Amino acid sequence: MASGEDDDPIIQEIDVYLAKSLADKLYLFQYPVRPSSMTYDDITHLSAKIKPKQQKVELEIAINTLSPNYCRSKGEQIALNVDGTTSEDSNTYSVKMMDKQTFTSIQSTTNTSRYAAAIFRKGELHITPLQGILQMRPSFSYLDKADCKHREREAANEGGDSSQDEAEEDVKAVTVRFSRPESEQARQRRIQSYDFLQKKQAEESWVHLHYHGLNDGRSDHERQYLYCQAMGGSENTELVKTPKEYLAMLMPPVAEEKIVRPVGPSNMLSMAQLRTLPLGDQIKTLMKNVKVMPFANLMGLLTPGTDSTAVLRCIQQVALLVQGNWVVKSDVLYPKNSCSPHSGVPAEVLCRGRDFVMWRFTQDRSVMRKEIAAIIKLPPEDVKDFLEHMAVPRINRGWEFLLPSDGAFIKKHPDVAQRQHMLWMGIQSKLEKVFNFSKDDLVSKKDLETETVHVSGEQRLKAAHERARHNQPSLEKDLSARRQGGAGGSGGTGVRVKEEPVSEDEPMDSCSSVHPNGLGNGYPSSSATCPASNPRNGHGGTPTPSPSPELRDFVWNTFRKQHVLTLSEVKRLFNLHLASLPPGHSLFHSISDRLLQDTILMSQCKQILVPFPAQSTAAADEQKVFVVWETGETFDKHRQVLYEIFMKNYRVRRNVIQTRLTQELGDQTTKADMDRLLKECCVSLGGMWYLKGTQQS
């Protein structure tokens, strides 16, 4: 040991001083995108500002536009994109050229307690603790500003009719709602949300600074504060330590460093953190967040190489199989001793209600919310929560299960499917006892429908011959009885026609050449008739019932107010009208879609075939568009020209309508006529005009 010390003698001793004058103001700037040989010391700094609490700095540095490496045309183009052609004080570039760039800081580290700046002078080392270490990187916020300008120009070009949009907007009722008191848990989630953090950061105002160059007199003055101002030993007790204490400070005991995780919502977990959990907890966390998931997707979210058998064993503990997909169990979402956030209903009651909803989806693809609510008798908010977990609303079909049936999983794992089926049988028996219902009461309509049997013409003719041969004796007997007993009376009094009721759900026409609503190409067709609808063709049949005067009045008044309506909207308005009638009113009963459409066509209206796009999600009733064709006004010609335009186009621009009206009606079309026509029959969306009720949200 002694020989080792002799071989390594002390050459020099240096006194170390701790300077504190700039301890809370000293920052180290790093420029990672620029080599150290190319500093910004000699480049003009235009402005500087800082947010001290966030340790965020912005510097504006001039660009040498006279340099041979500077592309003048590119700089002018960038300035034009950002500021446009106008000259305003708020412009980013005042000389119509990109003559500056902005640097924005990010923190290199949040813990600077082990970093200091040191300066060596006359055998003394003076060190000053760093307040922050910041990396300065170029900011491209001017590109965002250019994008905003581009979008504004596009909106101005496409929205040439925007001046009409505001004037033609209908007055809408405003619903005033009072927010509920915020719970502590909701407040914590809000405080940890990204939007809240961004808002808090934006609240701190910028402190504008004055930049002094490297060789400036003020810079030399400030650099003096890097030296310790008090050289007495009493002021620097931090470094007066025993050798053992000093070594402990230089090499502290190994301790697990606390990882500073990014701040995020408390109910979210990154995939990296998720994969550190046991397999069962991983699956439980995923199912609680996703609610419904196919098995293949679940395997894709887990660590590659995870055993599928182990996953199947774990998933059955936290989820149930519905139509080949896994739905999280109710008791996982609603643990014991918890309650509904909406109504305060206990978790046990919520679990029973949600289990009933899940069981219904094992029977049908779609369910009706009213039917569910009538059985489980829970508040509407809770019922809606159950359905939103596993279904989506469909027009005229209730709530449809969220995912398509996964038949491939059922075929691949029949043992799991059988086990889940037996489990559902047990759940069904419990639910029947709790809610006092029978499965037979909930038989799907599709199970009650009889299958269509296709019979050939030859078989039909043979059956008719057999019936005629079987009925011939009774027919001859009836005929002879009529001849004997009907000599003194009218020959028609003894004839009785058997009337069989026709279901409202059955189609009224049986001709394939006629549109289902009795129209040919969207218009009434007198020649497009079939034997079932023409009582004069010798085959009898059931004629379409004539509409009542009250129904005709309703349709007449509705179309004189609206002018353009889809069948879906007419049915909605009709249901509202029925709801407004006094109790016991029976004038409108057994109104079928066919009768309603016939009544519309009798009211000087026509159906027009609007060419909806192939990807349209509109239902069949929403694609049946009816318009007022004749009212006796001279303005009918304007409407008819508009309707003809929309028979060829799903949406058009205003100038197209204006041009067509001028071609058909001459110069007599005024701006007031144009505004009236569009207000009565159309709506505007994104600079395009649609017939009312046909635009897609």
Side-chain angles (χ1 to χ4, degrees):
M1 187 70 182
S3 61
E5 291 180 354
D6 294 339
D7 294 340
D8 190 14
I10 296 174
I11 298 176
Q12 185 181 4
E13 290 187 358
I14 300 173
D15 293 331
V16 180
Y17 295 92
L18 180 64
K20 297 183 179 180
S21 300
L22 300 178
D24 57 346
K25 301 175 184 177
L26 189 60
Y27 292 87
L28 175 65
F29 285 6
Q30 299 173 334
Y31 294 86
V33 297
R34 192 172 178 94
S36 60
S37 59
M38 299 174 63
T39 66
Y40 289 99
D41 295 340
D42 299 327
I43 297 178
T44 304
H45 287 62
L46 303 176
S47 66
K49 54 186 178 179
I50 185 173
K51 288 186 176 182
K53 293 181 181 179
Q54 301 175 37
Q55 296 189 7
K56 187 173 183 180
V57 176
E58 277 194 9
L59 299 177
E60 280 192 356
I61 299 178
I63 297 177
N64 183 13
T65 58
L66 301 178
S67 169
N69 299 321
Y70 182 83
C71 180
R72 189 177 185 86
S73 61
K74 216 46 166 170
E76 292 175 349
Q77 183 62 48
I78 292 175
L80 179 64
N81 293 341
V82 174
D83 296 328
T85 57
T86 59
S87 297
E88 300 176 358
D89 294 339
S90 60
N91 284 358
T92 304
Y93 306 110
S94 57
V95 296
K96 300 297 181 184
M97 185 184 302
M98 185 178 177
D99 59 347
K100 62 182 178 181
Q101 66 178 139
T102 303
F103 284 82
T104 304
S105 69
I106 61 171
Q107 287 182 289
S108 297
T109 178
T110 56
N111 182 15
T112 58
S113 61
R114 299 174 61 184
Y115 298 92
I119 187 168
F120 187 76
R121 184 186 66 173
K122 297 179 182 180
E124 298 172 349
L125 183 66
H126 298 259
I127 61 175
T128 303
L130 289 175
Q131 177 69 9
I133 301 176
L134 306 179
Q135 288 188 353
M136 306 300 296
R137 299 174 182 270
S139 171
F140 301 97
S141 57
Y142 62 89
L143 295 178
D144 297 333
K145 190 174 179 181
D147 288 342
C148 291
K149 289 278 186 182
H150 179 67
R151 284 194 291 268
E152 289 174 2
R153 286 194 293 268
E154 282 190 343
N157 293 335
E158 293 184 1
D161 312 319
S162 59
S163 59
Q164 299 293 329
D165 298 350
E166 296 182 4
E168 294 163 7
E169 284 291 334
D170 295 334
V171 178
K172 297 182 179 179
V174 178
T175 304
V176 179
R177 296 182 179 179
F178 297 93
S179 59
R180 299 178 179 177
E182 188 178 31
S183 64
E184 181 63 25
Q185 186 179 8
R187 192 182 74 85
Q188 289 295 333
R189 284 200 300 267
R190 180 175 60 82
I191 290 175
Q192 295 181 3
S193 67
Y194 177 77
D195 291 339
F196 182 83
L197 294 175
Q198 289 291 98
K199 184 178 178 182
K200 290 294 289 184
Q201 290 178 1
E203 287 177 356
E204 185 182 359
S205 58
W206 287 101
V207 178
H208 291 271
L209 309 173
H210 183 71
Y211 178 81
H212 296 274
L214 181 65
N215 300 319
D216 189 86
R218 180 63 184 270
S219 298
D220 290 336
H221 175 74
E222 292 293 331
R223 269 195 293 271
Q224 296 303 315
Y225 289 109
L226 292 174
Y227 300 104
C228 182
Q229 303 301 310
M231 306 296 288
S234 60
E235 296 294 332
N236 292 280
T237 56
E238 286 84 353
L239 297 183
V240 181
K241 302 286 184 181
T242 64
K244 188 174 182 180
E245 291 174 337
Y246 187 63
L247 285 175
M249 292 175 64
L250 289 178
M251 301 179 62
V254 179
E256 184 177 353
E257 185 177 355
K258 184 178 180 181
I259 300 174
V260 180
R261 295 177 179 174
V263 179
S266 58
N267 62 337
M268 293 183 65
L269 198 65
S270 69
M271 291 302 297
Q273 295 171 344
L274 180 69
R275 289 176 177 175
T276 62
L277 301 176
L279 181 60
D281 292 340
Q282 291 185 46
I283 295 173
K284 183 176 181 179
T285 303
L286 286 171
M287 292 307 301
K288 282 183 68 175
N289 283 276
V290 183
K291 308 293 191 303
V292 184
M293 193 188 305
F295 186 74
N297 289 15
L298 177 62
M299 292 297 297
L301 292 172
L302 299 174
T303 306
T306 305
D307 183 20
S308 61
T309 305
V311 176
L312 279 173
R313 187 165 52 250
C314 294
I315 188 67
Q316 295 182 71
Q317 298 174 8
V318 296
L320 292 169
L321 193 66
V322 178
Q323 299 187 25
N325 300 283
W326 291 99
V327 182
V328 64
K329 287 184 177 179
S330 302
D331 54 6
V332 174
L333 290 181
Y334 304 108
K336 193 175 181 181
N337 299 327
S338 64
C339 62
S340 166
H342 304 293
S343 58
V345 175
E348 183 181 359
V349 180
L350 292 175
C351 290
R352 287 200 298 263
R354 188 174 180 277
D355 285 347
F356 177 80
V357 176
M358 294 169 64
W359 173 78
R360 285 293 287 119
F361 279 117
T362 64
Q363 309 297 312
D364 293 298
R365 282 288 304 169
S366 301
V367 300
M368 301 303 293
R369 179 174 171 179
K370 290 182 179 179
E371 172 196 307
I372 298 291
I375 293 178
I376 65 178
K377 295 180 175 59
L378 284 177
E381 296 86 356
D382 294 323
V383 177
K384 187 178 180 182
D385 264 4
F386 299 159
L387 292 169
E388 287 177 342
H389 288 171
M390 61 192 85
V392 290
R394 300 292 187 196
I395 298 175
N396 298 330
R397 285 189 289 168
W399 289 75
E400 184 181 4
F401 192 67
L402 190 61
L403 300 175
S405 298
D406 191 355
F409 175 83
I410 297 175
K411 291 180 180 178
K412 187 176 181 180
H413 304 280
D415 53 335
V416 176
Q418 179 63 24
R419 193 179 306 119
Q420 289 290 310
H421 176 70
M422 299 301 294
L423 188 59
W424 275 119
M425 294 287 288
I427 294 174
Q428 176 190 333
S429 62
K430 292 181 181 178
L431 294 174
E432 288 178 349
K433 293 177 182 177
V434 172
F435 295 119
N436 193 23
F437 74 94
S438 173
K439 180 181 177 182
D440 297 336
D441 300 334
L442 302 173
V443 176
S444 176
K445 291 182 180 180
K446 64 182 181 181
D447 297 334
L448 299 177
E449 296 177 357
T450 56
E451 294 186 4
T452 304
V453 179
H454 298 279
V455 182
S456 65
E458 184 179 350
Q459 292 174 331
R460 211 178 309 174
L461 183 61
K462 184 178 180 181
H465 281 309
E466 291 179 357
R467 285 198 300 272
R469 194 162 46 247
H470 181 268
N471 295 334
Q472 184 175 1
S474 60
L475 292 174
E476 291 178 352
K477 185 177 180 181
D478 289 345
L479 181 60
S480 61
R482 288 174 188 168
R483 287 175 178 173
Q484 293 175 4
S490 175
T493 57
V495 179
R496 292 180 298 170
V497 179
K498 181 180 179 182
E499 297 182 359
E500 296 185 0
V502 178
S503 171
E504 293 295 332
D505 295 329
E506 294 178 357
M508 302 299 291
D509 292 334
S510 58
C511 295
S512 60
S513 62
V514 184
H515 194 277
N517 60 5
L519 308 175
N521 296 326
Y523 297 95
S525 175
S526 59
S527 62
T529 57
C530 60
S533 61
N534 189 355
R536 295 178 294 174
N537 60 9
H539 294 285
T542 305
T544 304
S546 60
S548 63
E550 291 81 4
L551 180 59
R552 298 188 67 169
D553 289 344
F554 165 77
V555 172
W556 176 274
N557 295 330
T558 300
F559 272 89
R560 291 312 173 271
K561 294 178 182 177
Q562 305 283 355
H563 294 92
V564 178
L565 289 168
T566 62
L567 180 60
S568 175
E569 181 65 9
V570 175
K571 291 163 69 174
R572 187 185 71 83
L573 295 174
F574 183 65
N575 289 332
L576 291 176
H577 180 64
L578 290 180
S580 66
L581 295 176
H585 196 281
S586 60
L587 289 175
F588 299 111
H589 63 279
S590 302
I591 303 298
S592 64
D593 288 359
R594 170 67 187 280
L595 180 58
L596 188 59
Q597 294 178 72
D598 289 347
T599 308
I600 295 172
L601 298 174
M602 293 176 187
S603 303
Q604 296 180 339
C605 300
K606 286 188 178 182
Q607 180 183 0
I608 65 172
L609 299 180
V610 178
F612 282 82
Q615 67 273 19
S616 173
T617 59
D621 286 351
E622 294 175 334
Q623 296 191 21
K624 294 180 180 179
V625 183
F626 295 90
V627 299
V628 175
W629 195 260
E630 294 180 354
T631 62
E633 300 177 314
T634 56
F635 204 68
D636 288 343
K637 295 180 180 179
H638 295 72
R639 296 193 193 96
Q640 291 170 9
V641 172
L642 179 71
Y643 300 151
E644 290 173 358
I645 294 174
F646 279 104
M647 288 182 197
K648 299 178 181 178
N649 303 278
Y650 170 61
R651 59 180 184 177
V652 294
R653 294 192 181 276
R654 180 190 177 102
N655 58 355
V656 175
I657 303 174
Q658 182 74 56
T659 304
R660 182 67 181 277
L661 286 173
T662 304
Q663 292 174 353
E664 297 291 335
L665 305 177
D667 296 333
Q668 57 181 325
T669 304
T670 63
K671 182 178 182 298
D673 292 338
M674 185 71 175
D675 293 344
R676 175 189 171 187
L677 181 65
L678 294 176
K679 187 172 184 179
E680 287 182 354
C681 306
C682 301
V683 292
S684 176
L685 182 65
M688 305 296 289
W689 289 90
Y690 303 77
L691 278 181
K692 287 184 177 179
T694 63
Q695 77 277 12
Q696 300 295 305
S697 59

